[in-house]
Amino acid sequence: MEQVLVVDDDTTVRDVVRRYLEHAGYAVELAGDGEQALRLLAAKEPDIVVLDLMLPGMDGLEVCRRIRERGSTPVVMLTALGEEEDRIAGLQIGADDYVTKPFSPRELALRVSSVLRRAHRAFEPRVVRDGNLVLDVAAHTATLDGRPLQLTTREFDLLAFFIGNAGKAFGRSELLERVWGWQFGDQSTVTVHVRRLREKIEEDPAKPRRLSTVWGVGYRYDPCSTD
């Protein structure tokens, strides 16, 4: 049974989310603040973390940052409606998804299921190479110049999608649907993830050679196999 760590200082929110996730078939651990969340993360090693941004003491952004320092455990952030800058900051740190408050517990359960499904997707064993960039889609790892890249689940999925469709331009709404599995959503999510990928795979993110912007359309991956 997959385990979910729910981090929120509101006992009512924690209880409602716990009941919905347990009904969906997940084992649930609860934490009311960042310090408790990190202790449970170390002890229980959950499959995914549902993390509120507004926590007492250590806020959700700092908790997410520390989770990313530990590894690639998927994170779904809970944010208040209108906190766009905080949502973008969470995505930049490495959150895989977010849900805005007030939210439908059923929607949250579906988002958790979607992120976990992508995190554990069964890829066909194959290695994709583009010059000094190598993706092992079976092992879900990536290296650049032989050095491991620290990619979140969503970043890996997006990069694998781009490389698998090299030379084709995709709009942000299409990427949301094909990579995130969303029929609708905040398209700035795609913008943030593309920016993060550029910071990790481009020699000069301001002048990307691989992940190009196609003005008026979206983004296109251009192979650099001669590198």
Side-chain angles (χ1 to χ4, degrees), residues 1-12:
M1 181 180 294
E2 290 173 310
Q3 295 188 339
V4 184
L5 172 59
V6 177
V7 189
D8 197 300
D9 63 324
D10 187 318
T11 56
T12 301

Side-chain angles (χ1 to χ4, degrees), residues 77-172:
M77 300 204 81
L78 303 179
T79 71
L81 189 64
E83 294 180 344
E84 181 177 358
E85 290 185 2
D86 287 336
R87 291 199 299 274
I88 291 175
L91 292 170
Q92 289 175 327
I93 290 171
D96 296 273
D97 204 345
Y98 69 87
V99 176
T100 56
K101 292 182 176 181
F103 59 86
S104 159
R106 181 172 178 272
E107 178 193 0
L108 176 60
L110 289 172
R111 291 290 183 92
V112 167
S113 175
S114 174
V115 172
L116 282 171
R117 186 168 58 251
R118 293 179 182 279
H120 302 307
R121 178 186 297 157
F123 292 98
E124 294 181 2
R126 62 189 180 97
V127 174
V128 179
R129 299 178 184 274
D130 177 27
N132 59 346
L133 177 63
V134 180
L135 265 67
D136 187 329
V137 293
H140 215 268
T141 59
T143 60
L144 184 68
D145 289 325
R147 297 188 299 272
L149 288 175
Q150 298 301 316
L151 301 178
T152 67
T153 298
R154 197 72 78 180
E155 289 167 357
F156 186 93
D157 287 347
L158 183 59
L159 182 56
F161 178 83
F162 272 128
I163 292 179
N165 294 276
K168 300 178 182 178
F170 296 93
R172 293 189 298 174

Side-chain angles (χ1 to χ4, degrees), residues 30-48:
L30 303 176
D33 58 49
E35 295 288 352
Q36 183 184 13
L38 293 176
R39 289 196 298 271
L40 286 173
L41 185 74
K44 302 288 186 178
E45 297 185 355
D47 296 287
I48 189 169

Side-chain angles (χ1 to χ4, degrees), residues 206-227:
K207 298 178 180 179
R209 298 180 58 194
R210 284 186 162 104
L211 199 42
S212 303
T213 297
V214 181
W215 298 108
V217 179
Y219 304 102
R220 182 185 67 239
Y221 187 90
D222 299 314
C224 294
S225 56
T226 58
D227 287 357

